[in-house]
Amino acid sequence: MCRLFALSSAPHRRRATFWLLQAPDSLSTQSHRDPDGTGLGFYDAEDRPHLHKAPLAAYEDRHFAEEATDVTSTTFLAHVRYASTGELTRSNTHPFLKDGRLFAHNGVIEGLDELDAHLGADRNRVHGDTDSERFFALVSRETHARGGDVAAGITAAASWVAARLPVYSLNFVLTTPRELWALRYPDTHGLYVLPRTVDETHRGRELEHRGTAGRMRVNSSALAAAPSVVVASERMDDDPRWRLLEPGELLHVGPELTTRSTRILRRGPAHRLTTADLGAEAAASQAAG
């Protein structure tokens, strides 16, 4: 399945190093499918968003993904893609950018013709052909319709999809320069949160997170003595305070690292998909290690 990683140190800018893809370190990883794309989104000192991403369609692309990337930002959003819909192109590689917000998704939404019809003219804001970017366009439209209230926009968009479209998983993270939102829905895949406070657990301990099967590594010595909040699709160290989000839980990390959770979806999708319902490519993307 796709890998999600997000980090907020807002309102302070901190430096972090990302390896979005690492060479397999054991023979067991040889049975896993190779990723189809990697991406990193962050904000500069003027709060302008930047995307550092590429599909993994050639050897040169893989080399690009394995290089260390040093960035400084208030919020960070990283993604390793296993394609379920869409070609291996940059426009289909996460994260996506709209209205100054960054978005990355792990899962599958079907019924795209109906979603396109619901988007109407906003379908023109979708530059690729993934289900993920279409959903992000819907979130962006609903957020604009609600005066910029991101949580309300997410709730409206997710509720519409859950009630009308076939859904396998709708896990995602959305960031701005000062805030972060994460939704786990339904319970198909995990999505975890870790508040890193400056206490005896983390004092003097730099942030060092590693994903499984060499899929992502993040390091920040700047966060050894500074608080942060991490959201990831898997536990990435041995800290016992990782918490699995509840199905339908929308997590908001505010400008001062305050966290608030709201259960915006209490029922499962009206048309819940299983792996058996997916096409071969989509099923492989959700099972990949």
Side-chain angles (χ1 to χ4, degrees):
M1 66 177 181
C2 298
R3 296 295 197 271
L4 284 170
F5 179 91
L7 168 66
S8 177
S9 60
H12 303 290
R13 292 173 53 77
R14 306 296 184 192
R15 183 177 179 178
T17 303
F18 289 78
W19 294 263
L20 299 180
L21 193 63
Q22 296 183 271
D25 55 8
S26 73
L27 293 176
S28 65
T29 62
Q30 293 180 4
S31 63
H32 293 280
R33 171 183 167 181
D34 282 337
D36 298 310
T38 61
L40 173 64
F42 57 96
Y43 295 88
D44 65 22
E46 283 72 46
D47 289 344
R48 293 173 298 200
H50 293 264
L51 290 172
H52 183 92
K53 64 179 185 174
L56 300 183
Y59 172 79
E60 292 80 6
D61 299 331
R62 186 178 183 92
H63 180 68
F64 166 88
E66 290 177 348
E67 290 184 332
T69 303
D70 289 308
V71 292
T72 301
S73 183
T74 47
T75 61
F76 307 79
L77 180 56
H79 186 270
V80 177
R81 181 191 185 213
Y82 294 87
S84 59
T85 59
E87 300 298 321
L88 303 189
T89 62
R90 190 177 190 277
S91 61
N92 286 335
T93 305
H94 305 225
F96 302 104
L97 169 64
K98 297 186 192 303
D99 302 327
R101 305 181 189 103
L102 299 171
F103 174 92
H105 167 229
N106 174 22
V108 178
I109 306 168
E110 294 189 348
L112 299 186
D113 288 345
E114 185 174 353
L115 179 52
D116 286 344
H118 185 59
L119 282 170
D122 288 287
R123 177 64 176 83
N124 295 326
R125 301 194 67 199
V126 179
H127 304 294
D129 49 11
T130 64
D131 54 342
S132 305
E133 192 187 7
R134 284 173 165 96
F135 178 72
F136 185 28
L138 181 59
V139 170
S140 299
R141 185 182 75 185
E142 298 300 332
T143 297
H144 178 75
R146 288 157 179 79
D149 187 331
V150 176
I154 290 172
T155 301
S159 297
W160 187 89
V161 168
R164 292 169 175 81
L165 302 185
V167 174
Y168 183 77
S169 176
L170 194 56
N171 288 10
F172 68 81
V173 178
L174 185 155
T175 65
T176 69
R178 299 290 183 274
E179 298 177 85
L180 179 155
W181 291 263
L183 176 68
R184 180 189 178 214
Y185 183 75
D187 59 355
T188 312
H189 294 315
L191 193 61
Y192 298 84
V193 59
L194 173 65
R196 298 184 82 255
T197 54
V198 183
D199 57 16
E200 292 305 317
T201 301
H202 290 132
R203 191 181 307 278
R205 179 182 176 185
E206 64 184 45
L207 183 146
E208 180 71 35
H209 289 324
R210 293 175 181 267
T212 57
R215 294 312 186 216
M216 194 181 297
R217 177 186 166 204
V218 186
N219 173 269
S220 176
S221 58
L223 291 173
S228 60
V229 177
V230 177
V231 175
S233 52
E234 59 180 325
R235 294 182 177 91
M236 297 181 71
D237 68 7
D238 59 0
D239 194 305
R241 290 182 291 187
W242 284 99
R243 180 178 70 83
L244 178 65
L245 298 186
E246 295 293 330
E249 179 182 347
L250 177 65
L251 172 74
H252 175 228
V253 182
E256 301 288 339
L257 298 182
T258 55
T259 61
R260 178 183 178 185
S261 286
T262 307
R263 194 85 175 269
I264 65 169
L265 296 168
R266 294 187 174 274
R267 297 182 178 179
H271 308 284
R272 180 166 182 168
L273 297 171
T274 67
T275 305
D277 299 317
L278 302 178
E281 183 178 24
S285 75
Q286 299 308 299

